[in-house]
Amino acid sequence: MKKWRSAWAGLALSYGSIVVIIVLLICSFFYIYFSRSYNEELRNKNQLILENTARTIEGTVLKRVQQMYVDLALDKSANLRLFADQEDQNGLNQVVDLQELLKAKVAANTDIVQGIHLYYPARNMMLSSLYGLRYNADQSEGSGYYADWLQEMRISKHSSLWTPTRHIPKDIFSSETNGDTHGLFTYAHSYPFRSTGETSEVIIAIDVKEEAVNTIIENMMPSQYQHTVVINAAGDAVSRLQEHSSGQLDVYTSSLKKVLALGQVKGSFDENIGDAPHVVSYQTLPSTQWKIYSATPSSYYYEQSIMIQKLILGICLIALLIGLILSAVLLHANYSPIKRLVGRIKDWSGTSPTQVTNEFRLIDNAFLHLKEKVSHLEETVHANSAAVRHKAVLNLLQGNPEHKPWQEERAALGIAKQYKEYCCMLMNTGAGVTLADYDAATQPEVIARLMHGLECLSLQDSRLIAEELPDKRLAVILCTDVASEALLNKFAELLLAETRQQLQPDIQLSTGCWVSDLRDIHKSFYEAQVLMKYAYFLPELPILNDSALLQREHSLDEIPQNLLGKFRDKLQSRQLAEAVGTIEQVVEHMREGQYPADYCHFILSNMVFNYSDAAKNVRYKHPLQFGHPDLYHEYTHQRDIVAYRNWLTASISTFMEETENRNSERAVSTIELAKQYIEANLSEDLSLEAVGAKVFLSPKYLSKLFKEEMGVTYTDYVTSRRMEQAKVLIENNNMTIDRVASSVGYGTTAYFIKRFKEMYGCTPGNYVRSLSSAAMTEARS
């Protein structure tokens, strides 16, 4: 009986019971949770994935295609009604420019768009980015590839339509496809906006790649990809069932009809498909009213649920085993010191083993005898009062004073009476302030002497509590019975005078709000911290107590983006006066505007990063080793925004001066590099942006160099080199005009012919004939 009353038995029973109860509770909770709700959560997750997929298709494909139509319709650079008037005689240049616009739109959206077509019903003509200009468009070669939207729009009472997917050979001019096709569906819309298909002057049709939709489905629904299809309101597949399921479309027919019959935007239901239960989910695309249909086998949900339940059971069994082992270890670890302690108590007290029935009772009696000895340790606690006081102040400022030892912490702070009002003030004696007259070893002593001097100030009905924070700032808690702004300002000025007399730096002080309970002082401390953020932007203010600064912290105002863009552009174009003026404007905005401090610091660092990028783009090397880390390091060491402005202005001035000197020396060599690149790549993209990137110059500066060094514009130089190469190819090679045009970088033959004629006074065909005539004349002679 004595053994079962011992501490060992009590610990063993406690540990074992706790482990068993915890494991049983965890096992029961997870079993109930997963058996009742896991399957439903999986279905909801599947539906959520389907909704996200629909939003992605809507935003990245359908809305984008509709926006392309709007952009074309509003584009003033080309006349969409080029062939709308039967009697209008349109020049070749306008046709070429309009086709180039269509090609540019396609090139900018090649990830989703295959081609753009303009069909003119009145003249049965079509201008296409793929097929060029076609007369009798509905009967010309390849008309079967676009007959669906063309025929339907000509008689449509609506302004737009979306077609189902059709498969078109990648080369429509070849009679043999070799299976090389791609799926397209088309968005057709009448022009002008409010016209219908049958009354429209122009029909704008955009061919959209089926793979753009399929790729989104495959990426966002990889496990359901093979069982997912997009259908229109008539039940036709807009995006086909994938490869492994494309031959089984009839299997899904009944569930597809059910989805259409329900007429709901989204939903989910159970359905037997191919003698197997499935969960059918669908989601409507708002722009087209198409539906994304997905059929997932029901086993997908149950298998995961069963697997999870087995996993939970296994984990619980392992946890039970580990818990019992740990209980035994803890029992041994906890009982061993008890056993040793009991043995020592017996030795000290002379108690015989027969007199001990429970180890805890013996230990309790021993501690009663130690009570007198513990009282003598109070002197040691007083010796550590400074550390206790520091911790108490930090707990108050952080807003987490513990409830039980609150009275003890109050005593450690030295507050003998209950004051009615409290306020926190913050001084930046650490960050950004240099104690010039003291070395690092004596600074803590100076701060301690300062805090002692502040607390010893003779104040009527008030008391100051000063403590240094981990960030080297000084927090001062004002305790008083009468709270007023005049009193607070008086104390703030007194603190500044005392602190400046001790440390002699330029110090700023911020004040928080009044609170009636010392345990709420963290609220006042928070306000003081917020106000101190604006010391950087308002260095001329010794005391920061304006409530308007607190409102700035929640402001959503933003500095005009054109200022930041202007700063970046002026850096790239080396316009020093404008760049410096922009810096002045940004600084003025921050000092006078209602912008949060963190947002302003973000803008300042962004300007530094833009400056660093500009320096790196021109490979600027400086003894200071410009780059992101060094410039940012210099920026963080600026005392205030005025110092930041002066530093950034001086640094940019030096950068531009040295860059201009270097550029003047390298101009000639850079022109030679650009000419060599142009000569070797006449058939490639030779825009100012492309060539400027190759020789590490901005397009504007490269154009300026060509004008100054070569005496001709960059465009004229490139055109002359291409025309000379074209002339050589015509003279020495048996090549068609189309191949010559592509070989010298012209995408359209018509535009090449125009430029050739402007250069040499005749078309390439006439030039070839003149060469042939000259050759025949020479042969006869």
Side-chain angles (χ1 to χ4, degrees), residues 8 11 15 326-340:
W8 184 91
L11 289 172
Y15 288 147
L326 290 176
S327 297
V329 173
L330 291 174
L331 175 62
H332 177 74
N334 290 333
Y335 185 70
S336 294
I338 294 176
K339 186 176 180 181
R340 290 195 299 271

Side-chain angles (χ1 to χ4, degrees), residues 537 552 555-567 582-607 641:
F537 303 97
R552 283 182 61 169
S555 174
L556 299 178
D557 293 347
E558 294 185 1
I559 291 176
Q561 293 298 313
N562 62 330
L563 281 180
L564 303 179
K566 180 181 178 181
F567 175 72
T582 305
I583 296 174
E584 295 286 350
Q585 292 180 38
V586 171
V587 170
E588 183 180 356
H589 272 282
M590 291 182 180
R591 286 171 56 80
E592 299 180 0
Q594 295 296 313
Y595 307 107
D598 294 336
Y599 170 74
C600 291
H601 278 294
F602 169 76
I603 295 299
L604 294 178
S605 62
N606 193 25
M607 293 178 69
I641 196 169

Side-chain angles (χ1 to χ4, degrees), residues 675-780:
K675 289 167 61 178
Q676 292 174 13
Y677 180 79
I678 292 170
E679 197 68 29
N681 297 274
L682 288 175
S683 61
E684 304 299 329
D685 178 15
L686 293 180
S687 63
L688 275 169
E689 290 77 7
V691 178
K694 295 296 181 181
V695 296
F696 306 104
L697 288 181
S698 66
K700 184 176 180 180
Y701 188 61
L702 179 60
S703 176
K704 177 183 176 183
L705 283 181
F706 258 88
K707 185 66 176 176
E708 293 176 351
E709 299 295 332
M710 302 293 295
V712 295
T713 64
Y714 174 83
T715 302
D716 290 342
Y717 177 80
V718 172
T719 302
S720 66
R721 295 306 306 143
R722 281 177 164 166
M723 290 297 107
E724 290 179 13
Q725 180 66 16
K727 187 176 178 182
V728 172
L729 292 176
I730 293 173
E731 293 174 353
N732 301 330
N733 296 279
N734 187 17
M735 297 173 63
T736 64
I737 301 302
D738 292 341
R739 290 189 60 190
V740 171
S742 63
S743 297
V744 294
Y746 288 93
T748 60
T749 305
Y751 187 64
F752 166 70
I753 294 172
K754 174 187 174 184
R755 300 299 290 171
F756 192 91
K757 186 175 181 181
E758 291 175 354
M759 179 69 71
Y760 297 111
C762 64
T763 65
N766 292 336
Y767 184 72
V768 171
R769 285 190 287 273
S770 67
L771 289 178
S772 299
S773 299
M776 291 176 63
T777 302
E778 183 179 352
R780 290 174 182 172

Side-chain angles (χ1 to χ4, degrees), residues 508-553:
Q508 290 177 275
L509 179 145
S510 62
T511 62
C513 60
W514 290 100
V515 294
S516 58
D517 192 332
L518 185 58
R519 282 173 288 189
D520 294 331
I521 197 65
H522 62 277
K523 299 177 182 178
S524 180
F525 175 63
Y526 171 76
E527 282 196 9
Q529 281 184 311
V530 172
L531 289 172
M532 186 56 71
K533 290 182 181 180
Y534 296 92
Y536 184 88
F537 303 97
L538 303 169
E540 69 278 3
L541 294 181
I543 301 176
L544 299 165
N545 57 1
D546 189 356
S547 60
L549 296 177
L550 297 174
Q551 298 175 0
R552 283 182 61 169
E553 194 69 10

Side-chain angles (χ1 to χ4, degrees), residues 43-84:
R43 292 181 62 170
N44 292 338
K45 180 179 179 181
N46 188 50
Q47 185 68 34
L48 181 60
I49 292 174
L50 191 62
E51 293 178 10
N52 291 336
T53 303
R55 281 196 295 269
T56 304
I57 294 174
E58 180 77 12
T60 60
V61 178
L62 304 181
K63 290 290 187 184
R64 190 168 155 195
V65 170
Q66 291 175 336
Q67 185 61 43
M68 287 177 61
Y69 162 78
V70 175
D71 292 343
L72 280 171
L74 298 178
D75 195 325
K76 303 299 184 181
S77 63
N79 181 16
L80 294 183
R81 299 180 66 259
L82 192 60
F83 298 105

Side-chain angles (χ1 to χ4, degrees), residues 379-408:
E379 295 181 1
T380 305
V381 173
H382 287 301
N384 296 323
S385 60
V388 174
R389 167 199 166 94
H390 181 73
K391 181 180 179 182
V393 172
L394 291 183
N395 284 338
L396 283 173
L397 297 181
Q398 293 169 2
N400 56 350
E402 300 178 10
H403 180 69
K404 288 183 63 177
W406 167 240
Q407 295 299 331
E408 298 178 5

